Amino acid sequence: MSTFVDAFISILDIKLMFFMLTGTIGGMVAGALPGFSATMAVALMVPFTFTMSPVAGLATLGAIYTGAIFGGCFSAILVNTPGTPSSIATTFDGYPMTKQGRGEEALITATFASWGGGVVGVLTLMFLSIPLAKVALKFGPPEYFWVSIFGLTIIASLASKSIMKGIAGGIFGLMVSMIGVAPIGGDVRFTMGISTFQGGVEILSVLIGFFCIPEMLRIAGELKNEKFVAVDLEKQTDVLKKSFLNNFQKPMNFIKSSVIGSFIGVLPGAGGNIANLVAYNEAQRSSDDPDSFGKGNPAGVVATESSNNATVGSSMVPLLTLGIPGSPAAAVLYGALMIQGLKPGPQLFTTNADVSYGFMMALMVAQFMILVLGLLAGKHVYNGVTKIPDRILVPAVILLTVLGSYAIRNNVMDVIVMFVSGLIAYTLKEFGFHPGPIVLGLILGPIAEKGFVQGYLMGQASGAPLMIFFTRPISIVLIIITILSASWPLFRMYRENRKKGVVNK
Amino acid sequence: MIKNTDLYGGIFMILVSLLFYSGVDKLNEYSRLFPQAIIVLLIASGLGLIIKSIKKPTIATLFSIDDKKSFILVAVITLAWVLLFKHIGFVVTSMASLTGLLFALSDVKNSKGFIKSFIIAGVLIASLYLLFSKVLYVPFPRGVFF
Amino acid sequence: MKFKNKSLLVSLLLVLLLSLNLVGCTSEPAEEPQEEAEQPQEEAEQPQEEAGVEYPVKPINYILPFDPGGESDITARIQQQPLEKVLGQSIIVQYKPGGGGALGWQELVTSTDPDGYNIMGSNLPHIILQPLVRDDAGYETNELVPIYYFQATSNILAVSKDSEIDSVDEFVEYAKANPGAVTLSGSGSYTANHLGALIFNDVAGINTTYIPETGSGGAVPQLLGGHVTGLMTYTTMGINHSEDLKVLAVAAEERNPSLPDVPTFKELGYDYVEGAYRGISGPPGLPQEIIDTLAAAFKEINSDPEYIEQMQEMGFEILDFGPEESKQLITERQEYYETMLRELELID
């Protein structure tokens, strides 16, 4: 315990705090801008950290990462565009809340959720690193495959009206994710003559296109009927209280989501993008009123924002304990550590303990920074954005989507993909296909394929290619969870029908 | 228009699977392993939807947009924007497109409204361009003029 | 209706004309970042004046066709400040990932101005193998103009610390006793790791299964978690994870200074030398003067003892292949890989 106290004191440095504050704000802005990802924001700041002490440099980068993952909720809630993939599911309930005039409540709820989830994530990093890292290592290709299959069962909760269309959409997403270089085999697939597709379909472009464009088009088409939603100018303290209670009055949702985020963050290759969807699914499944999800239930926002910020701290676990980055942003931090001359790994806890503990304390401080910043900014950002008339907002947001999708990897094709997928998403929505399952397929496709083919290769080496998927202990646990998750909606329908049956009698 | 959405959805899925199927031949064993499975699943889901469209169809009203003209204008201008951006350069395409969008949606459709759109576009583009290219080091494509 | 359309058309024309005026007012993108504050400008060389063209006079973009955090990124970061000192201009590291580097190299070759302000990291064997193996990589190996190849990481064969296998011979014995059952993980398909595993199979007469991971970082957890038997990875991984790995041999001509106790495959009787070379390339048509200036700069930073120490500590081997030598190296390797791939029946 004394190490933590020492570490905390070591970071009480005005300059360091200042850097962290700037980093957090910068991260929030980067996260809120669709397309500009948390990883890019962190990578951008790396050169600036060379001249700082290792702790200061890492603390600043960590603050940026925290800010960015939090910042994603702003655009998700206000304009239905996930600022980062970690906020995809925040759009499901956050944006409806804005449409109902409760956007400020959504933002403040997200702030409390992000703060709380972030704290849980850093606590995980501080106290559970070693055991968790060991468990994470045991996740090999077959386990990753089952994790992605489990992820796909979430489709049921996202499909709202038609499960068949949801499933088809998910498979469609899986299919599109195959475009590009095959992870095993190395062949370039399905580029359809467009050589930019060698790099695959850029998921961030599609995210922006799928969530933002259809909404912008819809607003454009309904401008004449601008209905003025009576915004109850609630007292500031009322919104604060309501948002706080949204998170903590019935804490199960918050606790479960933070734990889900902490655990998923530890797995290398899986991060906030998956955590938020899994947490959302779980929150809906265990809620008393599942049908209210997707229509402005703050519990949805709590689930997604607490889980995604929990991944910030926990994705550092494999980095600090084993020297293996748990997320792309952690990979950048890995590079930064290397350049500072620090070898990531167990040494960081022994010879360089002051650095690693200092970093952890700084990360904790960063969570409190986003709490303060979020509470302060929430009201003003909300008022600022909602005061902009739609006829200006729509073009401005479209400008942001063009800039943002270009900024992902400085590739013009990404902008075209963004808009074209927006048009496709609009049409598919009209035909009843919700974007959620498609995006889920896109994200999980590469993980599922890698897990499957690598596992197949492993299995081939031992003679029975497919048996390997069913004979490992963690895989078996995952299979059971997947089956439970997949059959839950059927179970629920059965329960409802029985209730209806009783009433009718 | 009122359509049987299940039917069209199913057909779409089948068409997509055929498109991907045509790209599978040249792949080696490991590159085609997973895609082949997904193609099969996609065809199955397409067929499932088509069967549903016959037995218990979902008929819905599509594209019921109030202001079709604004909708189409926004779509077309933005499409032109993203397609021309690389060739004509960022600033020119964006100024033209953004002004076009603002003007298309504005309620004051005369030259005063146009000037207003142009100015707003200018301010937005200037500030965001500076933010992205100078602070975030994003290199924008330079085209014919700029 | 017609009237409205006409005014829209006129408006768009007006916009175009007015934008042209904006062109004149806006300055060049990219300024020097704050870190420049500590750059002692007096040490900067004067921009070379060759045939009336001064270079460099503005910041240079050092573009990496990969995601941040990898070997190329770390190298670029270490080179950044020394390069800035030597060239007297800011170096801005940018990323254009995709297709294992192909997207970046394609853009370099098709749409980058040969003005020397956009240079890109290039890797062997990637730039050789991709056009060879893919129908349309978007570029040809010889379209990239090599400026300097400055670093290499040889392949290593590693097993986990508590493995019973202590030497390459024991590994080969084990592999012969269990044909097809031994698995090796490494970075990517058609990369030095991948080809290395195939060549090693050939040379040692064994049949191991190569399981590619995306990115070097991904291979090590596979081994640590017990999912594969060994790793065919780079020297840098061996050094970073020295507490968890037992490096059996290194596929280089000579022993690696940071792994002095590790024999080379050649020493042990296996004719296997393979690894990844990293350097910098420019777009086709890059003037010789600019190539020479850049090559001289890289050569200078490569001879700084501090820089050398930093790189070697991490496992990188310092190389000094200037423009001509790089061309020779690439041609040599092209022939080698073409023959090798034909022998292994990976291409016809």
Side-chain angles (χ1 to χ4, degrees):
Chain A
M1 204 57 214
S2 61
T3 26
F4 287 125
V5 178
D6 289 335
F8 185 62
I9 296 175
S10 73
I11 62 167
L12 286 180
D13 174 65
I14 291 280
K15 227 168 59 164
L16 191 141
M17 285 294 147
F18 175 70
F19 282 131
M20 279 184 62
L21 193 63
T22 338
T24 313
I25 297 178
M28 278 169 65
V29 171
L33 287 174
F36 202 80
S37 68
T39 313
M40 281 312 300
V42 179
L44 211 59
M45 285 303 289
V46 167
F48 291 83
T49 61
F50 289 159
T51 52
M52 304 180 197
S53 71
V55 181
L58 290 175
T60 314
L61 294 175
I64 296 175
Y65 188 32
T66 306
I69 299 287
F70 169 55
C73 75
F74 281 83
S75 42
I77 290 172
L78 295 172
V79 288
N80 201 48
T81 312
T84 66
S86 301
S87 296
I88 294 175
T90 313
T91 64
F92 298 164
D93 279 280
Y95 185 63
M97 282 176 79
T98 303
K99 283 202 282 196
Q100 293 162 13
R102 295 157 62 205
E104 193 183 341
E105 185 191 335
L107 285 175
I108 309 287
T109 306
T111 305
F112 279 116
S114 296
W115 161 69
V119 167
V120 172
V122 180
L123 287 174
T124 312
L125 175 64
M126 288 200 244
F127 298 112
L128 293 176
S129 287
I130 317 249
L132 273 183
K134 290 214 176 90
V135 174
L137 273 184
K138 288 289 162 206
F139 273 70
E143 284 73 37
Y144 274 90
F145 173 69
W146 288 117
V147 166
S148 48
I149 299 297
F150 165 68
L152 288 170
T153 59
I154 294 173
I155 286 177
S157 69
L158 302 176
S160 35
K161 293 194 193 116
S162 165
I163 294 203
M164 278 211 78
K165 285 188 181 155
I167 295 177
I171 300 177
F172 173 64
L174 283 175
M175 191 82 250
V176 174
S177 78
M178 313 259 113
I179 297 178
V181 178
I184 325 282
D187 279 346
V188 177
R189 307 182 294 198
F190 310 128
T191 54
M192 302 177 221
I194 304 175
S195 47
T196 318
F197 277 167
Q198 269 184 93
V201 170
E202 176 56 60
I203 179 76
L204 285 175
S205 289
V206 174
L207 271 188
I208 300 174
F210 263 43
F211 287 92
C212 186
I213 299 292
E215 194 51 33
M216 292 299 122
L217 288 173
R218 184 194 67 80
I219 296 179
E222 284 178 17
L223 269 181
K224 300 259 162 74
N225 310 345
E226 255 177 298
K227 299 180 194 105
F228 286 99
V229 179
V231 177
D232 280 329
L233 289 173
E234 296 178 64
K235 277 212 295 265
Q236 181 65 356
T237 41
D238 282 344
V239 176
L240 265 176
K241 199 161 76 171
K242 213 196 260 190
S243 308
F244 187 78
L245 293 176
N246 280 339
N247 271 286
F248 303 114
Q249 187 171 42
K250 288 202 201 146
M252 266 322 280
N253 181 13
F254 165 74
I255 295 174
K256 263 196 300 188
S257 308
S258 306
V259 170
I260 290 176
S262 297
F263 190 69
I264 294 185
V266 175
L267 292 178
N273 52 358
I274 297 179
N276 79 100
L277 289 161
V278 173
Y280 183 82
N281 177 55
E282 178 54 30
Q284 187 179 28
R285 187 196 66 79
S286 51
S287 148
D288 301 320
D289 187 9
D291 291 321
S292 67
F293 276 71
K295 301 195 182 108
N297 186 336
V301 175
V302 171
T304 60
E305 288 298 313
S306 52
S307 61
N308 67 23
N309 266 80
T311 66
V312 171
S314 59
S315 67
M316 300 293 147
V317 169
L319 179 67
L320 295 182
T321 53
L322 300 165
I324 297 162
S327 68
V332 180
L333 268 142
Y334 177 87
L337 275 171
M338 294 286 297
I339 297 172
Q340 291 271 10
L342 293 166
K343 227 196 279 182
Q347 281 180 341
L348 270 186
F349 283 88
T350 48
T351 37
N352 291 305
D354 54 336
V355 173
S356 42
Y357 285 108
F359 173 58
M360 288 193 249
M361 289 311 299
L363 209 53
M364 179 63 88
V365 171
Q367 310 307 318
F368 283 82
M369 280 187 181
I370 58 171
L371 176 66
V372 171
L373 288 169
L375 291 179
L376 287 175
K379 170 166 133 166
H380 302 289
V381 172
Y382 177 68
N383 287 341
V385 173
T386 45
K387 282 209 175 78
I388 303 175
D390 280 342
R391 52 190 82 250
I392 297 186
L393 188 67
V394 169
V397 170
I398 293 184
L399 173 65
L400 271 177
T401 60
V402 169
L403 287 170
S405 48
Y406 181 73
I408 301 169
R409 44 178 193 181
N410 306 330
N411 193 319
V412 178
M413 198 60 203
D414 288 338
V415 186
I416 300 180
V417 165
M418 183 275 297
F419 190 65
V420 171
S421 46
L423 294 174
I424 295 178
Y426 184 86
T427 318
L428 284 175
K429 232 196 216 173
E430 288 289 308
F431 281 92
F433 292 88
H434 188 284
I438 303 178
V439 161
L440 197 59
L442 264 173
I443 295 178
L444 291 174
I447 303 177
E449 172 165 23
K450 215 169 83 160
F452 182 71
V453 186
Q454 281 179 336
Y456 184 83
L457 276 171
M458 282 167 71
Q460 253 187 355
S462 60
L466 294 177
M467 278 311 289
I468 198 169
F469 289 98
F470 300 98
T471 51
R472 291 152 62 105
I474 301 187
S475 289
I476 296 177
V477 171
L478 289 170
I479 295 174
I480 296 177
I481 298 179
T482 307
I483 296 179
L484 285 177
S485 171
S487 40
W488 185 263
L490 298 168
F491 176 66
R492 216 179 63 202
M493 268 192 328
Y494 168 74
R495 217 171 48 172
E496 273 176 25
N497 286 340
R498 252 187 41 174
K499 262 198 256 168
K500 276 195 223 152
V502 170
V503 171
N504 281 346
K505 283 204 177 94
Chain B
M1 36 181 136
I2 302 185
K3 291 271 190 255
N4 181 342
T5 57
D6 289 334
L7 181 65
Y8 285 91
I11 294 177
F12 175 72
M13 292 300 157
I14 304 228
L15 287 176
V16 170
S17 9
L18 291 177
L19 175 67
F20 278 84
Y21 186 70
S22 64
V24 159
D25 294 326
K26 289 183 289 184
L27 300 179
N28 68 38
E29 185 191 348
Y30 298 112
S31 303
R32 62 152 37 135
L33 196 57
F34 204 68
Q36 273 179 331
I38 303 296
I39 290 174
V40 168
L41 288 175
L42 197 57
I43 293 181
S45 63
L47 287 174
L49 279 172
I50 292 180
I51 294 175
K52 178 167 182 283
S53 75
I54 299 170
K55 288 192 146 175
K56 198 164 86 162
T58 317
I59 316 274
T61 324
L62 304 170
F63 300 115
S64 51
I65 308 161
D66 288 321
D67 184 358
K68 289 204 163 67
K69 202 162 73 164
S70 296
F71 182 91
I72 293 181
L73 267 176
V74 170
V76 168
I77 293 179
T78 314
L79 189 61
W81 189 357
V82 302
L83 290 174
L84 295 174
F85 168 33
K86 179 171 194 177
H87 305 286
I88 306 189
F90 172 71
V91 176
V92 170
T93 353
S94 304
M95 276 306 297
S97 313
L98 194 57
T99 310
L101 284 175
L102 284 164
F103 188 60
L105 294 180
S106 77
D107 44 3
V108 188
K109 295 253 200 311
N110 57 25
S111 44
K112 197 166 103 179
F114 185 80
I115 305 284
K116 205 168 109 181
S117 306
F118 188 76
I119 295 178
I120 298 179
V123 169
L124 280 173
I125 290 183
S127 46
L128 285 172
Y129 178 74
L130 286 175
L131 173 68
F132 275 80
S133 66
K134 307 242 170 176
V135 179
L136 303 176
Y137 295 115
V138 177
F140 284 108
R142 301 156 126 250
V144 179
F145 299 116
F146 184 66
Chain C
M1 206 51 200
K2 249 194 341 188
F3 180 70
K4 255 201 187 149
N5 281 349
K6 207 156 79 170
S7 69
L8 201 60
L9 205 65
V10 171
S11 330
L12 284 172
L13 278 170
L14 265 174
V15 170
L16 225 58
L17 284 169
L18 284 166
S19 315
L20 288 182
N21 285 337
L22 253 182
V23 168
C25 306
T26 326
S27 53
E28 300 284 293
E31 283 171 352
E32 303 170 42
Q34 277 90 309
E35 81 221 52
E36 270 287 278
E38 36 154 316
Q39 286 304 316
Q41 280 290 9
E42 321 87 57
E43 279 183 43
E45 271 180 20
Q46 288 308 308
Q48 311 291 335
E49 269 198 49
E50 308 280 350
V53 177
E54 272 192 37
Y55 174 84
V57 298
K58 56 176 188 162
I60 299 173
N61 296 320
Y62 185 157
I63 309 174
L64 294 171
F66 303 112
D67 286 307
E71 281 99 8
S72 301
D73 189 24
I74 295 177
T75 309
R77 296 297 185 182
I78 298 181
Q79 293 173 326
Q80 200 176 3
Q81 283 182 330
L83 275 177
E84 284 175 343
K85 275 207 190 102
V86 168
L87 290 169
Q89 288 291 334
S90 309
I91 304 283
I92 303 166
V93 178
Q94 288 174 351
Y95 307 94
K96 290 204 183 178
L103 282 193
W105 293 316
Q106 176 190 16
E107 214 183 285
L108 181 71
V109 156
T110 54
S111 45
T112 308
D113 287 331
D115 58 7
Y117 292 104
N118 289 290
I119 55 178
M120 191 174 289
S122 47
N123 299 36
L124 302 176
H126 305 58
I127 61 171
I128 298 176
L129 294 179
Q130 284 173 0
L132 212 50
V133 168
R134 296 183 190 177
D135 276 340
D136 179 22
Y139 69 96
E140 288 299 327
T141 311
N142 299 320
E143 284 177 314
L144 283 105
V145 172
I147 296 173
Y148 212 80
Y149 273 80
F150 41 67
Q151 127 332 34
T153 49
S154 302
N155 282 353
I156 56 168
L157 177 64
V159 291
S160 82
K161 212 40 171 246
D162 15 84
S163 163
E164 285 163 0
I165 301 175
D166 278 319
S167 72
V168 177
D169 288 329
E170 279 178 41
F171 184 88
V172 171
E173 240 180 72
Y174 181 76
K176 285 194 173 146
N178 304 284
V182 173
T183 48
L184 288 174
S185 186
S187 154
S189 300
Y190 296 115
T191 57
N193 289 164
H194 182 193
L195 280 207
L198 296 174
I199 297 173
F200 180 58
N201 274 357
D202 199 39
V203 162
I206 54 178
N207 178 15
T208 65
T209 311
Y210 175 75
I211 302 189
E213 252 301 329
T214 42
S216 309
V220 176
Q222 300 277 33
L223 182 67
L224 297 183
H227 308 293
V228 292
T229 326
L231 293 181
M232 185 63 78
T233 180
Y234 296 122
T235 45
T236 37
M237 288 295 129
I239 292 173
N240 288 346
H241 298 274
S242 46
E243 315 85 40
D244 302 308
L245 297 184
K246 200 190 303 179
V247 183
L248 298 179
V250 61
E253 296 285 355
E254 290 166 6
R255 293 196 178 191
N256 186 301
S258 301
L259 293 167
D261 303 322
V262 175
T264 65
F265 278 96
K266 275 202 154 157
E267 276 177 50
L268 300 172
Y270 299 94
D271 183 19
Y272 166 38
V273 172
E274 189 57 65
Y277 299 80
R278 295 182 190 83
I280 200 107
S281 296
L286 191 61
Q288 191 61 41
E289 306 91 55
I290 297 185
I291 300 178
D292 290 333
T293 313
L294 286 168
F298 277 98
K299 179 155 181 193
E300 194 173 323
I301 63 175
N302 250 11
S303 37
D304 172 44
E306 246 184 67
Y307 170 85
I308 295 180
E309 203 188 310
Q310 223 183 349
M311 295 287 283
Q312 283 185 337
E313 247 177 28
M314 286 195 254
F316 294 112
E317 295 147 37
I318 304 279
L319 297 177
D320 279 294
F321 286 87
E324 286 313 311
E325 293 143 328
S326 300
K327 276 203 203 125
Q328 272 182 330
L329 175 68
I330 294 176
T331 317
E332 228 179 69
R333 297 260 97 200
Q334 257 178 309
E335 283 166 19
Y336 175 71
Y337 287 121
E338 235 175 294
T339 328
M340 182 61 55
L341 288 179
R342 287 226 172 82
E343 256 179 48
L344 295 170
E345 290 171 15
L346 288 171
I347 55 170
D348 11 66

